[in-house]
Amino acid sequence: MLHQDTAADTGRDEVFQVEGHGIDPIPDAERHGGAKDLFWLWFGSNLTFTYVINGALAVAFGLSFWQATAVVVIGGLSFFAISAAGLSGVRTGTATLVISRAAFGVRGNWPAGLLNWVVSIGYTIVNTAVGTLALEALFADLGWAGGQAARALALLVTLTMTFAVALWGHATVQFAERWMAYALALGFAALLAFVLPGADTTAPAQGPGAVGWSLAFVVMLAGPFSYLPMPADYTRYLPRTTSLKALTWSGALGGFLSSVALGVAGVAAATQADMTDAVAGAEGLLPGWFQPLFLALILGGSVTNSIITLYSSSLNLQVLGIPWSRARAIVISAAVTALGSLGALFLADFTTSLLAFLSLLIIVFAPWGGVFLADMVLRRCSYDSDALHAGEGGTYWYRSGWHPAGITALLAGMAFAALTCDSELWTGPLVAPLGGADLTLLGALVSALVYVLLARRTATPAQP
């Protein structure tokens, strides 16, 4: 593990050149960029049709236009926590799932790392499938309804666009997110302009109740929560002088603006049309000339989101001990994504099963995020960088590689989340007594509180 963490290929972080670094600490001499880069990263990667679907679901759960819009806005505010977590990357020069060794121990960090890789690949598969179907429909609009051949070509194009950028690495990812954001922002702004004026802002006859509110919050916050294992991946190249304030505001505004704008578009569309098939429902509200551009927007948004999840998955594999460079490790993730996308597109029930499985994993990642953020606050984001990459005998080895406080807090949060989760694959025993409310996300608060109680004397800032 020590060899894997400290060894790196040579090569600078430049656009259209394969990035040489992986999870090894980025030397100060190679740090570059500024907090403003994070705005475009989070803005571009969240210009995805998923938020339109989430906004529509909030209305389907019984919320009015204004109620659903409030949930969308609150969900967008969560990007302030996501962006602030990137300070750990500035301080250590390494990836989030290396830094979380401080909270869970070197070995205790491994199970969550494996599950995070599964989640990253799962969301990449879902986004790839959505982008492929949009491109296939675009082919049909252009006059080629080629059946499975058209779908296969669409899949190849979507995978190639995603893999090429992620393979080149950090600098190219940021470059692509910025330039794709320019085009996507204009297109989605037009979408909002088409659907917002016709929105029905009257309240429904019957309120949503606790069930509707809780489900809407789970749907809206699950996306941002899934980013918690990633923010340092994109801040580790920033100079150590980058301030917490600049970093937090830049990244948070990017994620907030794109997620809220598209979420409100979904809310507005759901008050006017049947959004059971969200693409068809939204497309029916648009003028005919704009519909091909709308499909191109869905494709572009899917690719921008898949790029960052696929890139982070390669760093994740290094954390798990794959003895390869980041560029070689990403081939594993790309191959699994390709196989999963084939299943999602050519096996009818695969996508439904995958989405149900991913929704269940919030039982793990809400509490994981609570522990990680609590640890970061207790340590004031000050870590022993060398110890993060050390094995047995290092500061973060704790008891045989496991941090009892972190593992106990994680299990406590997971137990609460499992008891209060309402998903297709699992319904917790406390859901019915709570009137059907889904309180899964509060598992993060439970785990954070337990961790603070258990680790407030041991999780201290590293000495300079």
Side-chain angles (χ1 to χ4, degrees), residues 353-378:
S353 300
L354 179 62
L355 286 170
F357 174 66
L358 292 174
S359 68
L360 188 63
L361 286 182
I362 197 170
I363 292 176
V364 176
F365 283 98
W368 184 93
V371 174
F372 177 73
L373 292 176
D375 181 76
M376 195 175 73
V377 171
L378 288 176

Side-chain angles (χ1 to χ4, degrees), residues 411-426:
L411 292 175
M414 288 174 59
F416 178 88
L419 290 171
T420 58
C421 175
D422 184 14
S423 71
E424 290 186 31
L425 297 180
W426 168 259

Side-chain angles (χ1 to χ4, degrees), residues 146-159:
Q148 291 195 343
R151 181 169 295 187
L153 177 60
L155 173 59
L156 179 62
V157 171
T158 305
L159 284 172

